């Protein structure tokens, strides 16, 4: 038996002490738990594919969740109308084609012969039921992407029309994850929503076996899957918020693939025997939300100063191990609306100090930076960078549950004057990045700007893609001037695996394992 430390001997230790204005931000220490006993993962696991992620699904009902952790698991039991391929192109899934009949009607033609796991047909009636279930206030669905859909019409058994209150140019993309999940109407009528959540039935590549919350979700291969039986006989998801424990399980063969790794955790595993690290460009985009309605941040010069003070390239290099790309103005590369001609703020502490002095804060000011404790290192580093310019931001770390509750509450000040957030732009359209936090009437907006509101309307409602692109460019230019946010970076998708699975995530990082190749 060789310990992980012995296996990794010769790999240079990471020197990740980052000194920002007197603040030391260390890397995560190499965990003592990372010791393996040479267990052969294939013989120990058979043909069961075991996947670990940081959290557990909130529910087995896909219409009653709106977070990627839940969706990562549920997408394996449920299909959506559309999907994105590895090249980020929108592709057919349950819907073979879609066309805009007019400004208020999208028509979808469905794949024939698809059935739910219980044998119930997946047809236009099921699509109508599913969309209307998301929209029904009694469902209490947190899914917001279908806000413009008003009703659904069955044209024939395999054709359905979605009618909208106004043109929604990216509705097909919105049906590629949360809003596009199709569920069985007859089964839900028989067992009710509670029974459905206890034993979910979908059309996906895997069927439900059991769920022990905070322990494991187990699924079995669907031999009648319309796209072919998956390679794994069983698929098991386990929640592991502690990356050290997850990586120890990987080395011991208890887990085959660990997804959603932070750059710090991933860097600790480099060079260890039996562990392969993979990194692909991702779309999840981090930023600071600034309360432009109260206090010092009402002044545009103060907000610009914060943008100049935070050296994003240094942050990416020193804290994220280079596993991210700078985002100039909220919309990430790979999403429609990104304009490569736009340049990020120059990173200059003297410029930041000069702007603060001009705004009446020659000695800086104090504020609070709130973040999930999962982003502790980044938040502490940002605080240190701000301190160099005289902005003293005390870091307020919250557990992920409390953070999420406050983020989605109606109280726009629940997370304080500055908070660190990230959005998975899973539609691969800039609208998804901006929809909740720019237009002044939206839930998380803390910026009231009439021009921005008009540009949001233009990019959300225009029929012409060129007009949408112009609106996105103008909106990003406005944000670079008014600085209602500090745009940070888009993270790579980082995973660690043993030798059994072969699989790559798309840009959104969804853990759809139907295509995973698994050795026995």
């Amino acid at each position: 038996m060789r310990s992980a430390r012995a296996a990794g001997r010769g790999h240079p230790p990471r020197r990740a002490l980052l000194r920002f204005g007197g603040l030391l931000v260390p890397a995560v220490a190499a965990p003592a738990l990372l010791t393996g006993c040479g267990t052969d993962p294939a013989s120990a696991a058979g043909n069961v594919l075991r996947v670990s992620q940081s959290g557990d699904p909130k529910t087995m009902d896909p219409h009653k969740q709106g977070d990627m952790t839940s969706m990562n698991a549920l997408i394996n039991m449920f299909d959506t109308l559309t999907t994105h391929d590895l090249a980020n192109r929108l592709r057919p899934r349950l819907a073979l084609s879609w066309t805009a009949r007019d400004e208020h009607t999208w028509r979808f033609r469905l794949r024939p012969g698809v059935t739910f796991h219980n044998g119930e047909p997946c047809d236009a009636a099921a699509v109508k039921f599913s969309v209307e279930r998301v929209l029904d206030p009694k469902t209490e669905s947190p899914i917001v992407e279908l806000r413009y859909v008003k009703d659904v019409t069955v044209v024939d058994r395999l054709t359905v029309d979605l009618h909208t209150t106004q043109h929604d140019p990216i509705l097909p993309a919105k049906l590629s994850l949360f809003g596009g999940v199709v569920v069985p109407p007859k089964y839900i009528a028989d067992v009710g929503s509670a029974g459905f959540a206890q034993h979910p039935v979908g059309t996906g590549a895997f069927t439900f076996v059991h769920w022990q919350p905070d322990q494991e979700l187990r699924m079995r291969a669907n031999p009648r899957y319309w796209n072919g039986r998956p390679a794994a006989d069983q698929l098991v998801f386990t929640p592991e918020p502690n990356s050290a424990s997850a990586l120890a399980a990987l080395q011991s063969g208890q887990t085959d693939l660990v997804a959603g790794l932070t750059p710090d955790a991933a860097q600790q595993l480099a060079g260890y025997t039996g562990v392969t690290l993979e990194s692909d460009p991702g779309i999840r985009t981090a930023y600071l939300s600034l309360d432009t309605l109260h206090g010092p941040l009402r002044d545009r010069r103060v907000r610009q100063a914060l943008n100049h003070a935070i050296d994003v390239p240094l942050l990416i290099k020193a804290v994220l191990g280079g596993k991210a790309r700078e985002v100039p103005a909220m919309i990430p590369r790979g999403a429609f609306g990104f304009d490569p001609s736009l340049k990020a703020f120059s990173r200059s502490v003297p410029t930041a100090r000069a702007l603060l002095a001009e705004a009446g804060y020659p000695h800086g000011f104090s504020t609070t930076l709130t973040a999930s404790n999962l982003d502790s290192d980044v938040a502490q580093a940002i605080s240190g960078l701000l301190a160099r310019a005289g902005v003293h931001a005390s870091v307020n770390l919250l557990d992920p549950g409390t953070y999420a509750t406050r983020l989605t509450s109606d109280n726009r000040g629940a997370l304080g004057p500055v908070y660190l957030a990230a959005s998975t732009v899973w539609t691969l359209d800039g609208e998804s990045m901006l929809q909740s936090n720019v237009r002044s009437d939206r839930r998380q907006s803390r910026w009231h700007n009439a021009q921005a509101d008009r540009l949001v309307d233009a990019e959300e409602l225009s029929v012409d893609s060129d007009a949408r692109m112009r609106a996105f460019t103008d909106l990003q230019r406005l944000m670079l001037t008014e600085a209602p946010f500090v745009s940070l970076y888009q993270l790579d998708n980082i995973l660690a695996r043993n030798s059994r699975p072969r699989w790559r995530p798309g840009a959104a990082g969804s853990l759809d394992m139907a295509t995973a190749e698994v050795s026995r």
Side-chain angles (χ1 to χ4, degrees):
M1 180 178 75
R2 284 202 307 168
S3 71
R5 187 177 299 277
R9 190 169 293 147
H11 176 69
R14 181 185 180 202
R15 299 182 180 276
L17 289 179
L18 180 61
R19 188 181 300 272
F20 288 153
L23 175 68
L24 292 177
V25 180
V28 176
L33 290 173
L34 289 176
T35 56
C37 298
T39 304
D40 179 2
S43 62
N47 201 27
V48 179
L49 175 58
R50 296 179 172 89
V51 177
S52 173
Q53 59 175 342
S54 62
D56 205 34
K58 291 181 171 61
T59 174
M60 291 291 102
D61 187 332
H63 290 164
K64 296 189 176 184
Q65 56 79 39
D67 63 288
M68 283 301 296
T69 299
S70 298
M71 197 67 210
N72 281 342
L74 295 176
I75 194 61
N76 293 283
M77 293 185 286
F78 295 91
D79 279 313
T80 49
L81 287 171
T82 63
T83 190
H84 283 96
D85 63 17
L86 291 179
N88 298 338
R89 295 169 298 194
L90 194 64
R91 293 296 193 191
R93 197 160 183 159
L94 290 178
L96 286 176
S97 64
W98 46 92
T99 54
R101 302 278 293 177
D102 55 50
E103 289 189 13
H104 300 284
T105 307
W106 278 98
R107 174 163 292 182
F108 294 83
R109 298 193 184 276
L110 305 180
R111 186 180 299 275
V114 178
T115 60
F116 290 96
H117 299 151
N118 64 346
E120 186 176 333
C122 179
D123 53 16
V127 174
K128 173 181 170 67
F129 171 82
S130 300
V131 173
E132 291 179 347
R133 186 172 186 256
V134 171
L135 298 176
D136 188 347
K138 295 179 182 177
T139 305
E140 297 182 337
S141 175
I143 297 168
V144 300
E145 280 75 20
L146 305 186
R147 65 162 64 90
Y148 298 132
V149 178
K150 64 176 181 179
D151 56 51
V152 185
T153 300
V154 172
V155 178
D156 59 42
R157 192 175 65 85
L158 293 176
T159 309
V160 63
D161 285 349
L162 272 63
H163 305 284
T164 59
T165 57
Q166 49 199 22
H167 181 60
D168 188 344
I170 68 164
L171 183 59
K174 291 178 178 178
L175 298 172
S176 66
L177 269 183
F178 300 94
V181 173
V182 183
V183 299
K186 294 179 181 177
Y187 177 69
I188 293 177
D190 289 341
V191 304
S193 289
F196 175 59
Q198 290 176 355
H199 194 106
V201 168
T203 62
F206 294 89
T207 64
F208 178 80
V209 176
H210 71 249
W211 180 39
Q212 295 174 280
D214 298 321
Q215 294 187 48
E216 74 166 28
L217 168 62
R218 185 173 292 266
M219 297 167 257
R220 184 178 292 114
N222 177 8
R224 295 182 297 276
Y225 186 49
W226 58 265
N227 201 29
R229 186 190 186 281
D233 294 325
Q234 293 193 45
L235 175 64
V236 177
F237 272 75
T238 55
E240 187 49 78
N242 184 308
S243 59
S245 298
L247 295 168
L250 178 66
Q251 279 208 308
S252 67
Q254 296 173 6
T255 296
D256 298 309
L257 187 149
V258 180
L261 285 172
T262 64
D264 266 341
Q267 199 151 345
Q268 299 301 330
L269 265 290
Y272 287 132
T273 299
V275 175
T276 298
L277 288 171
E278 295 179 345
S279 177
D280 291 284
I283 204 84
R284 183 169 176 80
T285 302
Y287 61 96
L288 296 183
S289 172
L290 309 180
D291 186 354
T292 71
L293 307 177
H294 304 94
L297 295 173
R298 294 179 63 184
D299 193 311
R300 178 177 63 187
R301 294 166 296 186
V302 173
R303 303 192 299 267
Q304 291 172 339
L306 268 58
N307 276 272
H308 285 292
I310 298 175
D311 190 334
V312 176
L314 178 59
L315 188 70
I316 291 171
K317 179 180 179 181
V319 181
L320 302 177
K323 302 297 186 183
R325 291 173 292 170
E326 186 176 25
V327 174
M330 295 293 281
I331 298 178
R333 294 163 184 81
F336 182 84
F338 174 77
D339 187 336
S341 71
L342 299 177
K343 305 302 179 185
F345 278 85
S346 63
R347 311 304 174 177
S348 168
V349 171
T351 301
R353 286 188 173 275
L355 283 165
L356 288 172
E358 184 181 326
Y361 300 96
H363 305 295
F365 65 96
S366 296
T367 188
T368 302
L369 167 59
T370 302
S372 163
N373 58 25
L374 297 176
D375 296 317
S376 173
D377 284 358
V378 172
Q380 296 289 355
I382 289 173
S383 176
L385 287 166
L386 290 173
R388 300 195 306 179
V391 177
H392 305 286
S394 61
V395 176
N396 177 32
L397 296 175
L398 303 175
D399 68 86
T402 301
Y403 176 91
T405 298
R406 294 187 186 181
L407 178 67
T408 57
S409 73
D410 292 331
N411 179 5
R412 300 181 186 185
L415 290 175
V418 182
Y419 64 80
L420 174 62
S423 177
T424 301
V425 192
W426 55 265
T427 64
L428 302 183
D429 191 281
E431 176 185 331
S432 294
M433 183 66 203
L434 306 176
Q435 64 181 351
S436 294
N437 53 19
V438 172
R439 203 180 194 286
S440 44
D441 60 349
R442 301 285 168 80
R443 182 174 61 195
Q444 292 163 352
S445 174
R446 309 200 295 175
W447 178 37
H448 292 178
N449 184 290
Q451 184 181 357
D453 289 354
R454 289 192 295 272
L455 290 169
V456 168
D457 289 343
E459 55 89 356
E460 287 188 351
L461 305 176
S462 177
V463 178
D464 181 1
S465 61
D466 290 339
R468 294 191 73 229
M469 187 65 215
R470 287 192 297 272
F472 275 127
T473 292
D474 289 345
L475 183 54
Q476 289 170 94
R477 286 174 177 161
L478 181 63
M479 289 191 290
L480 286 168
T481 300
E482 294 294 326
F485 308 97
V486 178
S487 296
L488 296 173
Y489 48 78
Q490 57 190 101
L491 280 165
D492 289 354
N493 293 320
I494 309 172
L495 61 86
R497 61 172 178 83
N498 59 26
S499 61
R500 297 188 65 238
R502 293 290 185 275
W503 175 82
R504 281 185 59 202
S510 173
L511 301 181
D512 185 347
M513 308 307 296
T515 60
E517 298 178 7
V518 188
S519 62
R520 292 182 180 271

